[in-house]
Amino acid sequence: MPSAIRHFIIAFIIAVLIFSIAGAVMLGWFGKAVRENEKGRVEDNTGVDFDSDDDEDADANTHRPTLRGQSFSMLLILNDYQPDRYEYGIPDHYDGIFTERLKQAVSLVYLRFSREAATLYTSVIPAQTLINAHGVSMTAAEAYHYFGAEHLCDRISSLLGTRINYYCDATYDQFVSLIDGPAMNGVNFTVPEQLQVSLRSGTKLTLEQGTQFMDGERLLALLSAGNEGGYAWYRQVQASLAHKLLEKLTTLEHKRNPKAFYQTVLSKLATNLSEELVAAGADMMFAYFDLKQEELIFPGEYDKAGNYLPDRAQIAELYRTGAVLE
């Protein structure tokens, strides 16, 4: 056999062996990558990492339904906005002035829908919590007034050490309309103790202790009532109300038609949730009744001026490094 042909055959055999080995290696690598990807994490277009739908711990999941969708967190904001008031004017004498109403956040509730732990975590954050906003120490209520809901979410995210993805922001009027509207039609709410409250109309009334049907104005009066119980009392009332809202709003009917839910509820509020996001995240967003409930107490204390001083070391332990929140 001529040497040229012999060399060609040898080279051809070596090339086949090399490509066969390389192909086997690449197939093995590709299969491993696919398996790891199926078990790993996926990332949605919000830039937040969420777990895939595969169960990570079969034993831990035997006692609960399989949850789909993406974990996310949200800040519920109630603000005291009212239109500027025209006053002191006397017809045919002088025009008077407009009194600007200071718009501040009066209620802040942090929600974390965790698919990984099959739990909804709730944390009431006092509106008088001192935070850092653009290098200035101010309360969360003031930061909302000067910089808005987006910046407030950023500042509280920094304090908690976990990202807040979304917010829903309601004025007093929007809150009352939501409670009294067709999506809720009022709520049965447990008043922790007998209270004297004032409605916005000026009417004074007594709220008896115990569970009772309440409309939006009465709930608003309850939220605005002063109490010597401090953070513990406000935490109890606001956390209970947040759960009542979720019970009423995350029904199967709303889950089946997220577009209608967005149009009738969320579109009436200030929010960074879109109709598309609600539809895409309906599985987890409406999973309230499939989740365990756990409240995270926001560590800190009030000073003599009425500001809430957050305990940053405890917050870091609870929110940032705990097994619950990222």
Side-chain angles (χ1 to χ4, degrees):
M1 179 182 296
S3 60
I5 295 177
R6 184 171 58 253
H7 290 163
F8 172 79
I9 293 173
I10 294 173
F12 177 79
I13 294 173
I14 293 175
V16 169
L17 289 174
I18 291 175
F19 279 110
S20 298
I21 295 172
V25 172
M26 291 183 69
L27 283 173
W29 174 84
F30 180 76
K32 181 179 179 182
V34 170
R35 290 191 297 273
E36 290 178 350
N37 184 64
E38 290 175 345
K39 295 180 180 179
R41 302 176 70 86
V42 296
E43 186 173 22
D44 81 334
N45 56 10
T46 64
V48 184
D49 289 331
F50 301 109
D51 282 347
S52 69
D53 290 333
D54 291 317
D55 290 334
E56 297 172 349
D57 187 345
D59 294 334
N61 290 327
T62 55
H63 67 282
R64 62 178 176 83
T66 300
L67 292 171
R68 294 187 173 275
Q70 301 163 333
S71 300
F72 67 94
S73 60
M74 176 184 294
L75 188 66
L76 304 181
I77 306 171
L78 177 64
N79 72 75
D80 62 356
Y81 168 77
Q82 297 180 69
D84 294 343
R85 182 173 57 193
Y86 179 76
E87 58 186 354
Y88 304 126
I90 300 178
D92 302 325
H93 287 78
Y94 62 91
D95 294 334
I97 60 174
F98 280 97
T99 300
E100 182 181 1
R101 309 284 187 93
L102 191 65
K103 178 184 177 183
Q104 297 194 83
V106 297
S107 177
L108 301 171
V109 180
Y110 170 84
L111 304 175
R112 170 72 175 176
F113 291 77
S114 175
R115 190 193 69 82
E116 302 87 346
T119 303
L120 170 64
Y121 297 96
T122 307
S123 186
V124 175
I125 300 175
Q128 298 306 314
T129 299
L130 286 178
I131 60 176
N132 186 289
H134 291 294
V136 179
S137 179
M138 62 181 66
T139 66
E142 292 170 332
Y144 172 85
H145 168 70
Y146 290 113
F147 306 113
E150 291 275 5
H151 186 73
L152 177 61
C153 287
D154 288 342
R155 293 297 84 214
I156 293 181
S157 293
S158 179
L159 177 63
L160 300 182
T162 181
R163 180 179 175 185
I164 296 175
N165 307 110
Y166 309 115
Y167 67 84
C168 287
D169 181 10
T171 66
Y172 284 171
D173 287 339
Q174 290 168 339
F175 173 81
V176 171
S177 295
L178 174 63
I179 298 298
D180 296 341
M184 297 195 66
N185 292 310
V187 297
N188 290 317
F189 192 78
T190 302
V191 179
E193 61 185 68
Q194 186 184 77
L195 285 171
Q196 301 293 325
V197 299
S198 297
L199 302 180
R200 290 192 295 172
S201 64
T203 302
K204 298 184 182 298
L205 56 86
T206 300
L207 296 178
E208 299 295 338
Q209 182 180 16
T211 302
Q212 55 203 276
F213 178 81
M214 299 185 72
D215 60 13
E217 288 291 349
R218 288 173 179 250
L219 280 172
L220 187 60
L222 175 63
L223 288 174
S224 304
N227 187 272
E228 295 180 356
Y231 173 65
W233 187 86
Y234 285 109
R235 176 175 58 82
Q236 178 184 359
V237 171
Q238 294 183 31
S240 297
L241 180 55
H243 284 288
K244 283 295 180 183
L245 289 170
L246 291 170
E247 286 176 10
K248 285 273 193 171
L249 296 177
T250 60
T251 61
L252 183 60
E253 179 183 357
H254 288 146
K255 179 179 180 179
R256 287 172 175 167
N257 194 349
K259 181 178 181 180
F261 171 75
Y262 183 87
Q263 293 293 337
T264 57
V265 177
L266 293 180
S267 67
K268 312 298 183 184
L269 312 175
T271 179
N272 60 346
L273 280 166
S274 66
E275 185 176 312
E276 293 73 22
L277 281 171
V278 172
D283 282 331
M284 197 63 202
M285 197 166 288
F286 293 90
Y288 176 81
F289 293 100
D290 295 327
L291 300 173
K292 297 175 291 185
Q293 315 296 323
E294 184 169 323
E295 185 178 0
L296 303 177
I297 298 176
F298 189 73
E301 61 182 1
Y302 286 97
D303 63 13
K304 294 181 179 179
N307 298 319
Y308 195 80
L309 307 178
D311 188 324
R312 297 177 183 273
Q314 288 191 44
I315 289 173
E317 179 68 22
L318 179 62
Y319 292 85
R320 187 179 306 141
T321 61
V324 173
L325 300 177
E326 298 172 1

